[in-house]
Structures are given as C-alpha cells and as structure tokens.
C-alpha cells in the first residue's frame, strides 16, 4: 500500500467533487441549511438561547443538567450549533459520501486505475476524499459559529475558542463513522442514489432495532453511531470519552466491512 498514491487519488477525487454534481449535491443544501441557522443565531440567539423558555425546552428534550451545562456553563450559540450538528450529521454525511465507489464501479472505470493502484488504495483514497469534503464544509460552519459566539455570547475569548475547538473535534469524529458506513454501502451498490436510499433505510432499521433491544433488555444498546449522540454533548466527561472510543470502533467495523466487499467485487 502506497500512501502517496492514496493521497493523489483522494486529492483528485476531492477536486472533482467540489466543482461537479457529485459534490454540489451535498454542498448546496449544506450551505443553505447552515446559512439560515447561523443567520438566525446571529440575529436572535443572544437573548433567545438563554431565555427561560429555551432552557425549559432543552430540559424537556434531554435533561435539566444538559440545559444547565450547554446554555449556561458554555457559550449558548456554540452549544446550539453542536446540538444541530449532531442531529443533522447523519443525513449530510450520507449525502456527501454516497458516491464513493458505486458510480465508478457500475461504469467499470476502476479497471483503468487498477493498472497502477491496488483496490485498497482506491478504497482508502475515496474514503479520505469523501471525509475531507464533509469535514471541510463542517469546519467552515464551526468557524462561522465561533465568530458569532464571540460577538453575542457573554464569555471570554479564550473560553469561546476552547469550546469551539471541542465542538469541532466532537463533530469531526462524529462524521467519521458515517462516511465509512457509506463506504461499505457504496462498495455494494451501483449508483449514488441507490447507495443513499439503501444507506438511510438500513440505518433506520438498525436504529429502530437498537431502540427495541434497549427497551426489551433494559440495556444501553446502540447499533448505529447516532445512539451515542447524547453522550457526546459533554455533560459527563467520562461518557464523552467512551462515546468517542465507540465512534472509532464503528469506524473500524464499517471500514473493514466495506473493504472486504470492495475487494471481492467484480470491477
């Protein structure tokens, strides 16, 4: 395995994705969503997020301790960004990484690259490219949210920057298992649309099954990365650490599964 070839493949695919339909299908809805949300936070977030109604609503959705920590102890606008990022990352990550392998596998264009690269290098190159696309767009959104928080939240600049860095790390790690999950689905399918639909359907089935097993056996069972969303909010640091380790475990499982499927596929 040659990491230089992996980097070249990833860079070429990333440049191709940004300026073509493959990437614009993700970038346009992502940009519109975060533009309107960040605009709302900038114009009305200063008073609305720390109001009694917002604290009561967040206490009802999660727990009173969550509202206390996120809206009072931390910069409120960055906390709201983190909540919305964790809620929307599954969809946007799937949308941005749905055409890692499926389209070129169906067109059998990989056979021209296989004369110079191995299947493992192609798989990792596409995985890195898809992750870089989603992660890069997310980092821009985090930076925008940090600038807004700097202006409207009543916290010192060092507290804002430190929390913004924490939000960025959590969000970027949360993206990783979803991109590798879509790599596994994409290695099996023959088009980006079918990969996206199949990925969403399987994800919903796994999430529902995990909820059923948790209620049936009174255990915390998460069959998808989204099951660790509440732990990632950082109410208890040890829970957050366990959740981050769990995300890495999901990433390895999905990555190995996708590689095994892609290695055996007729290209």
């Amino acid at each position: 395995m040659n990491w230089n070839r992996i980097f070249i493949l990833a860079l070429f695919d990333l440049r191709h994705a940004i300026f073509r339909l493959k990437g614009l299908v993700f970038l346009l809805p992502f940009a519109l969503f975060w533009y309107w949300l960040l605009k709302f936070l900038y114009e009305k977030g200063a008073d609305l997020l720390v109001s009694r109604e917002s604290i009561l609503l967040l206490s009802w959705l999660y727990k009173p301790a969550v509202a206390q920590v996120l809206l009072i102890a931390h910069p409120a606008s960055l906390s709201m960004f983190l909540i919305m990022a964790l809620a929307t990352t599954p969809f946007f990550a799937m949308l941005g990484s749905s055409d890692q392998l499926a389209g070129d596998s169906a067109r059998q264009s990989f056979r021209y690259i296989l004369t110079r690269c191995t299947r493992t290098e192609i798989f990792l190159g596409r995985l890195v490219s898809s992750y870089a696309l989603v992660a890069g767009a997310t980092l821009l959104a985090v930076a925008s949210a940090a600038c807004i928080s700097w202006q409207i939240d009543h916290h010192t600049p060092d507290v804002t920057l430190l929390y913004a860095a924490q939000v960025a790390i959590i969000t970027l790690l949360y993206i990783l298992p979803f991109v590798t999950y879509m790599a596994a689905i994409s290695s099996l399918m023959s088009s980006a649309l079918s990969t996206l639909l199949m990925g969403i359907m399987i994800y919903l089935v796994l999430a529902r099954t995990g909820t059923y097993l948790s209620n049936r056996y009174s255990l915390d069972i998460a069959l998808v990365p989204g099951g660790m969303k509440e732990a990632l909010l950082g109410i208890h640091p040890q829970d957050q650490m366990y959740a981050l380790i769990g995300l890495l475990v999901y990433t390895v499982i999905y990555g190995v599964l996708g590689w095994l499927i892609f290695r055996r596929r007729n290209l």
Side-chain angles (χ1 to χ4, degrees):
M1 184 169 62
N2 189 312
W3 287 101
N4 184 51
R5 286 199 292 263
I6 293 173
F7 175 77
I8 293 173
L9 287 170
L11 186 60
F12 174 81
D13 187 64
L14 180 61
R15 290 201 325 247
H16 178 79
I18 291 175
F19 301 107
R20 300 293 179 88
L21 183 62
K22 178 180 177 179
L24 294 177
V25 167
F26 157 72
L27 290 173
L28 290 179
F30 182 90
L32 286 174
F33 173 81
W34 284 113
Y35 170 77
W36 288 112
L37 183 61
L38 292 173
K39 183 174 183 289
F40 173 80
L41 290 177
Y42 180 72
E43 294 177 349
K44 301 181 180 180
D47 298 323
L48 181 62
L49 293 179
V50 294
S51 65
R52 185 183 175 204
E53 291 77 9
S54 296
I55 295 174
L56 289 175
L57 177 61
L58 197 60
S59 300
W60 177 71
L61 291 174
Y62 294 97
K63 297 175 183 176
V66 174
Q68 181 75 19
V69 171
L70 293 182
L71 297 183
I72 298 176
H74 293 308
S77 57
L78 276 173
S79 294
M80 184 54 62
F81 175 88
L82 177 61
I83 292 172
M84 295 305 299
L86 294 180
T88 58
T89 286
F91 172 73
F92 282 126
M94 290 182 190
L95 186 62
S97 57
S98 59
D99 195 15
Q100 293 184 50
L101 305 164
D104 287 312
S105 296
R107 291 188 294 269
Q108 296 185 336
S109 55
F110 279 139
R111 61 180 59 190
Y112 302 107
I113 309 176
L114 284 172
T115 58
R116 294 181 177 271
C117 303
T118 65
R119 292 189 182 221
T120 301
E121 291 167 352
I122 294 174
F123 180 83
L124 290 177
R126 290 299 178 89
L127 179 63
V128 170
S129 171
S130 297
Y131 178 77
L133 177 66
V134 181
T138 302
L139 278 178
L140 290 177
V142 173
S144 301
C147 292
I148 292 172
S149 176
W150 196 315
Q151 298 180 53
I152 69 173
D153 291 329
H154 305 292
H155 288 268
T156 59
D158 58 328
V159 171
T160 301
L161 288 176
L162 182 62
Y163 189 52
Q166 181 182 348
V167 169
I169 292 172
I170 291 172
T171 308
L172 292 180
L173 285 176
Y174 191 55
I175 291 170
L176 190 55
F178 289 100
V179 175
T180 53
Y181 166 76
M182 291 305 288
I185 302 296
S186 183
S187 63
L188 188 63
M189 307 303 293
S190 298
S191 71
L193 181 59
S194 62
T195 300
L196 180 61
L197 295 177
M198 182 63 70
I200 293 174
M201 186 171 63
I202 294 177
Y203 184 86
L204 292 176
V205 170
L206 290 175
R208 181 58 183 167
T209 303
T211 302
Y212 171 77
L213 294 175
S214 297
N215 295 333
R216 179 71 180 271
Y217 299 105
S218 300
L219 296 173
D220 291 331
I221 301 175
L223 299 182
V224 291
M228 300 182 175
K229 181 173 60 178
E230 187 171 340
L232 290 171
L233 294 175
I235 308 305
H236 304 292
Q238 65 274 15
D239 291 344
Q240 192 175 50
M241 183 59 65
Y242 293 146
L244 293 176
I245 294 174
L247 294 180
L248 295 178
V249 172
Y250 279 116
T251 300
V252 172
I253 293 173
Y254 294 146
V256 170
L257 179 62
W259 174 72
L260 290 175
I261 296 173
F262 184 68
R263 190 179 66 170
R264 289 170 171 78
R265 182 164 183 178
N266 180 19
L267 299 178

